[in-house]
Every structure is written in C-alpha cells, then in structure tokens.
Amino acid sequence: MLGYICKYAPVEIFQAMGVEMERIEPDVANFNQAEIRMHPNICSFAKGVLEEVMKKDYEGVILTTCCDSIRRLYDVLREEFPEKFIYMLDTPRITKEAGIALYEQRIRVMIQEYEKFSGKKFQEDKFLEYLKERQEEQQYAIKNNSVNIGIIGARANESIKKILEEKGANVAFDLTCTGLGRKILADEKEILGGYVRGLLSQFPCMRMELASNRDELIRRFAGSVDGIIYHTVQFCDNYAYEYAWVKEWLDRPMLLLETDYTRQSSGQIRTRIEAFLESLTPDIPQPKKTGKGDKTMYVMGIDSGSTSTNAVIMDQDRKIRAFSVVRTGAKSGVSAQKALEEVLEKAGLSREDISWIVSTGYGRVSIDFADENVTEISCHGKGAHYFNPKIRTILDIGGQDSKAIHLNEKGEVKDFVMNDKCAAGTGRFLEMIARTLEVSLDELGAIALTSTEKIEITSMCSVFAESEVISLIANNKEKADIAEGVCHAIANKAFGLLRRVGMEPDFMMTGGVAKNPGVVRAVEEKIGASLYICEEPEIVGAAGAALYALEKCGFCFI
Ligand code: SF4
Ligand code: SF4
C-alpha cells in the first residue's frame, strides 16, 4: 500500500498497476516522534503524516512539491525509511499546456522509478481501461431542504464531513487539498496527457498559478451555499493568510476551523461545527401556547462546563423557577445528576414534572437524562438575549475556555470565536495564579481593586505567567498589584477575542470569571464600555438551554 496526501497525486496510475492507495489522514494523540525529527513549528499536518507513516506499514509515500513543510517531511521520510518508495513529485504551478506536458513527463519518470522499485509494470492500455471504469466528474451537489455547506482552505479531513452529515447538513463541495471527487479524463488519443489535464484542472490550490483567481472562483462557489467552512491547519501560513483575506470580502457566513490533527481537538471541532450549523438554522417560530388553564409546564436546561455544572428550571411563562450551580467533578455525568437533584429539590418538583431537558456545554453529550443537546455558543446567545435583549456582544470566560459571541437583535448568533486551546485567559489561569499568590479566587478579584502600582504581566502562556508572578513575589511586589496585572492580562486576551467578532455594544460578560470584580473592571477599561452582568452569570448557558427546551415544547417567544 502506498500513502499519498495531495489531490494532484496521480493515484489512478498506481491503482491501475494493482497498488492499494490510501490518502493519509493524520489522527494522532501527540507529535512525540515527529517533534524529535522535525521542528515543532512545522505544520501539524506534516508532523501528523510522519506519525502515521511511523505507525503504519506503507510500502512508500507519494508527496507533491506543496510547500516547505512537505519538503522537510520528504527529507525526514527519506532518511527514516531508506527502504521505502518515498517519492516527491514535482507538480508544476502552471496548469496550461506547458504545465501539462511537464507534469506528464515528470509522472513518466516517477513510473519508471516505481517500476524499478517494485518490479511491477505500467501498461498504458490497462490504465485506459481503469480510467474508463473510474471516470467521474468532480461532484458538486446542492440539496434542497438541507443546509448546504462548502469547505474551502487547507485539507479538510473526513471527520469534518462526517460531523456535518451527522447533523443533517449537506457537504455541497470540498475545494481543499482533499477534494470530494477527482476529475478523471480517459482520452484514447492522449491517455496519460489527458489524465494529467484532468488532474491539473481541479480547483486550484494556493500554490497554483491560478490561485490569483481564487477570489473569483470562491465567490462563484460560495454563492450557492448557506455557509462556508474555511479550514486551516495549525502553523500553515499559506491558508492562514488566505483566510484573513477571504474574510474581508466574502459575503457568506463563514466558520474558521483550525485543525492540529490531534484526537484531543475533536470535541472542540464538533462544538464549533454544531454551533455554526445552529447559527445558520435559527428555529422556525411556532405558534405560542399559553398553557393557561392547563397544568403548569416545566422545562430544564443543564450546562455541563469544566468548572461548574449549572441547571435551570423554567416554566412556560419563561420564569426561572430554580437553578443550581455545582462544581464539576472528575465525572461530568455524576455532577450533572447532582445538579439535577439539587434544582428539582429547590423547585419542589420531580423528574416526571419536567417536559423536556436540553443539555449544553462541553459535557453535553454525556448527560444521559437530557432529551437533546445544543452547543454552548447558541445557548449563551439565547440566554444573554433573555436576560437583556440589548446585548449584541457576549464575553464568556469559563474554566478552561473563553469565547466571544456576536448576536443580532433577535439574539441569534451571527459570529463567534473560541479560545479553547490553552488555559491562558481562562478561569483555570486565575485559579493557578491565586494559588501562587496564596489567596482564594474570591479574594484575588477583590484585592486587585486596591492596587496602587501598575504591573504588567507580559507572558500570556499560563505556565510562563506563573513563573513571572513567582519572580514578582520574590521582588517584594504587592499581591494587590500583581493581582491587578493578572486581571489586565486576561482583559487583553479577551479584547483580542472581542475585536474578532466586531465589538458591537451592548456588552455582557458570562461565566464564573464574571464574578471577579478585578477582571470585570480591567475588561471594561480595555473596551471603554460597561459590561452587563446578571445576578448569576454562571447560569446564562443553562437558561438558554431551557429556552431551547421551551421552544421544543411549542412555546416560542420570538
Ligand atoms: S496545497 Fe496544493 S499542492 Fe499542497 S497538498 Fe494541497 S492541493 Fe496539494
Ligand atoms: S497545511 Fe499548509 S503548511 Fe501544511 S502541508 Fe498543507 S500547505 Fe503546507
């Protein structure tokens, strides 16, 4: 079996010779092996491919001259696996006649090399037969009555398409390196030349000369779908640059998804995709039921976060009857059960009295007593609109992630960004610093307000920031001043997120960190506006989930 990575790889040539071909899709736990052999800042895809090749028994790998990361990957693979067929196919950037002739010539050289390596023989007539069997045009299909999504950017792996399909969306096109279908031309007069023409006529990637027309082409494709997923890979400058450019002019809802090919990031990717789909399909207003004269109906929203699990019981008139906030322990399911029992007890109700339960938060799928789950992005949007309909921008700083959400006047999510890759600027970061300063989390915010000297914490990485705090303590700096510096560091990080969603007032802050007066003041100073904070900022997501539950039961309040 040979591995390959690029849509310009002449896969069918090998298949016609009876070789099994597999597109390498990294799915790794870490880059331990790759980072011994490559610089850690090489793109995650290239590192992931190396990890996969080290795990699997490929006979060889076909690479194309894509970028510096792939060049480096080639060098490492050649060195590590001298016995394998590691081949770098020099793909021309030009796709006109000269480029086609050049690519054909280079592919012929590759065939000779493979024949020498494997002892197999390439037969052009057999190849033609194979092409005729496989002939297919690039698939491109819009489905009516479905949310149509197009994928552009750097290589999108199958898991993204799977999540979209599971959620009922249609992947109308994939214009990334992985493509949905290959353009196969079987031309009897010009067998190899015709085949190469088909390969090079695929949607041009960023390294092709025709990339200068990508804006025109992207516009044309994007016009037919409901939303676009722009996929990038960690440390891939080529597509990160293009995303920043596309975002300026593309008039379509667009989600940026950055993959690092580790299994740990799959939950975050799912949340982003689901939230994006929810934002494209706002619920259809249903006739309002009053419930008057009937028995009161109750619903519940439960938000399973990394630090707290919060439950809200709401009645049919949208009144919050009770809520509970419990610390999330090692098992999110157990904490959810505790939050459920506590809120039922406070409301004087039993589980049978609750008509519908919607779960949200990072642990939403593991709450088995919930009837449905909705992402925390949509629930925070709905919850914020419920508490204050003037809110257009939400800053939610939770235990281990932070997000900024932009709402329209109906409380629907228009845009969102999340920081869930590191603890910097989150509740965990504050906890870590409070421990270092030997104060409680509650005290940290309060003492920050008494600061008299301005101290700047320059490290945004939580590990380095902790060392910085330790050296400030060693230099006899006041705890209050250090605490204030930490609050400002969080505010700076939050400001970056808020700017990315447009900073439309009014602003609301949610999540446990909204209870910290030091951080609240620092964020307000940074954005130059005041933050609306409701009485219990940790239950906004759960309240939003309860509102989704009410809508499910036919109580609509739009
Ligand atoms: S950027 Fe182009 S050359 Fe590189 S892997 Fe993607 S399709 Fe192939
Ligand atoms: S993701 Fe970007 S950096 Fe990585 S191989 Fe593809 S083009 Fe190169």
Side-chain angles (χ1 to χ4, degrees), residues 5-8 64-66 155 176-177 205-207 239:
I5 60 164
C6 167
K7 67 182 176 187
Y8 295 113
T64 46
T65 41
C66 168
R155 47 188 338 105
T176 71
C177 315
C205 73
M206 274 290 280
R207 73 172 289 287
Y239 286 97

Side-chain angles (χ1 to χ4, degrees), residues 338-485:
K338 224 169 128 196
L340 169 80
E341 284 162 16
E342 207 175 299
V343 75
L344 285 172
E345 196 188 326
K346 281 188 185 170
L349 298 169
S350 68
R351 171 67 183 88
E352 290 66 45
D353 297 319
I354 309 294
S355 303
W356 198 260
I357 300 181
V358 170
S359 62
T360 186
Y362 94 108
R364 65 189 180 281
V365 285
S366 41
I367 300 179
D368 49 14
F369 57 79
D371 299 295
E372 189 188 350
N373 70 73
V374 176
T375 64
E376 54 271 38
I377 309 285
S378 302
C379 288
H380 269 84
K382 211 171 253 308
H385 187 71
Y386 166 82
F387 285 107
N388 182 347
K390 285 199 211 138
I391 298 302
R392 297 290 176 271
T393 305
I394 306 165
L395 172 65
D396 176 68
I397 306 188
Q400 62 184 21
D401 69 13
S402 43
K403 41 194 167 290
I405 306 169
H406 183 203
L407 303 180
N408 67 9
E409 64 294 342
K410 289 192 210 153
E412 292 162 359
V413 175
K414 294 323 289 168
D415 196 6
F416 67 92
V417 287
M418 287 173 87
N419 161 38
D420 46 18
K421 300 236 171 71
C422 65
T426 67
R428 284 267 184 275
F429 176 69
L430 272 182
E431 271 173 27
M432 196 188 286
I433 300 294
R435 235 188 357 257
T436 312
L437 288 176
E438 294 176 332
V439 296
S440 72
L441 203 50
D442 290 343
E443 279 171 306
L444 185 90
I447 61 167
L449 298 180
T450 65
S451 153
T452 51
E453 187 194 344
K454 207 161 185 56
I455 289 180
E456 203 176 331
I457 308 288
T458 49
S459 309
M460 259 335 284
C461 163
S462 38
V463 178
F464 290 131
E466 192 182 15
S467 325
E468 206 174 326
V469 167
I470 291 170
S471 56
L472 287 167
I473 296 169
N475 284 329
N476 289 324
K477 292 290 176 192
E478 291 297 328
K479 280 185 184 177
D481 300 329
I482 300 174
E484 215 247 349

Side-chain angles (χ1 to χ4, degrees), residues 29 34 57-58 65 116 153 190 231 234-235 258 292 296 325 364 384 390 415 497 516-517 529 546 553 557:
D57 194 21
Y58 289 112
T65 41
K116 266 193 257 158
E190 195 198 5
H231 184 252
Q234 195 184 29
F235 300 126
E258 189 187 272
K292 294 248 157 62
T296 307
V325 175
R364 65 189 180 281
K390 285 199 211 138
D415 196 6
L497 288 179
N516 182 308
C553 298
F557 304 91

Side-chain angles (χ1 to χ4, degrees), residues 5 42-46 66-70 154-155 177 232-239 261:
I5 60 164
I42 292 274
C43 103
S44 312
F45 173 70
C66 168
C67 60
D68 288 349
S69 300
I70 297 302
R155 47 188 338 105
C177 315
T232 64
V233 176
Q234 195 184 29
F235 300 126
C236 170
D237 294 339
N238 304 333
Y239 286 97
Y261 291 101

Side-chain angles (χ1 to χ4, degrees), residues 93-207:
R93 291 185 60 248
I94 301 165
T95 54
K96 295 186 193 114
E97 289 309 313
I100 294 167
L102 190 64
Y103 204 26
E104 181 183 344
Q105 194 188 30
R106 287 172 180 166
I107 287 176
R108 284 194 189 279
V109 174
M110 181 197 70
I111 293 171
Q112 284 166 10
E113 293 292 318
Y114 185 66
E115 284 176 338
K116 266 193 257 158
F117 170 82
S118 66
K120 293 192 171 111
K121 205 81 206 120
F122 173 71
Q123 290 165 295
E124 215 150 324
D125 51 339
K126 270 200 177 166
F127 178 52
L128 179 64
E129 286 316 304
Y130 183 73
L131 289 183
K132 282 183 183 161
E133 278 167 32
R134 290 280 329 273
Q135 201 164 33
E136 53 191 292
E137 284 298 308
Q138 246 179 353
Q139 298 156 21
Y140 174 62
I142 294 290
K143 276 195 194 153
N144 294 331
N145 305 322
S146 188
V147 179
N148 287 289
I149 300 292
I151 309 176
I152 59 175
R155 47 188 338 105
N157 56 13
E158 288 306 310
S159 59
I160 293 173
K161 295 171 204 165
K162 229 161 107 195
I163 297 172
L164 285 166
E165 279 157 12
E166 268 169 36
K167 288 279 145 191
N170 171 46
V171 181
F173 55 79
D174 170 4
L175 304 179
T176 71
C177 315
T178 44
L180 259 189
R182 296 158 66 79
K183 195 163 187 172
I184 295 179
L185 297 183
D187 183 343
E188 299 199 358
K189 288 193 213 99
E190 195 198 5
I191 302 174
L192 199 54
Y195 169 71
V196 170
R197 191 180 301 279
L199 274 188
L200 291 183
S201 66
Q202 296 178 88
F203 190 90
C205 73
M206 274 290 280
R207 73 172 289 287

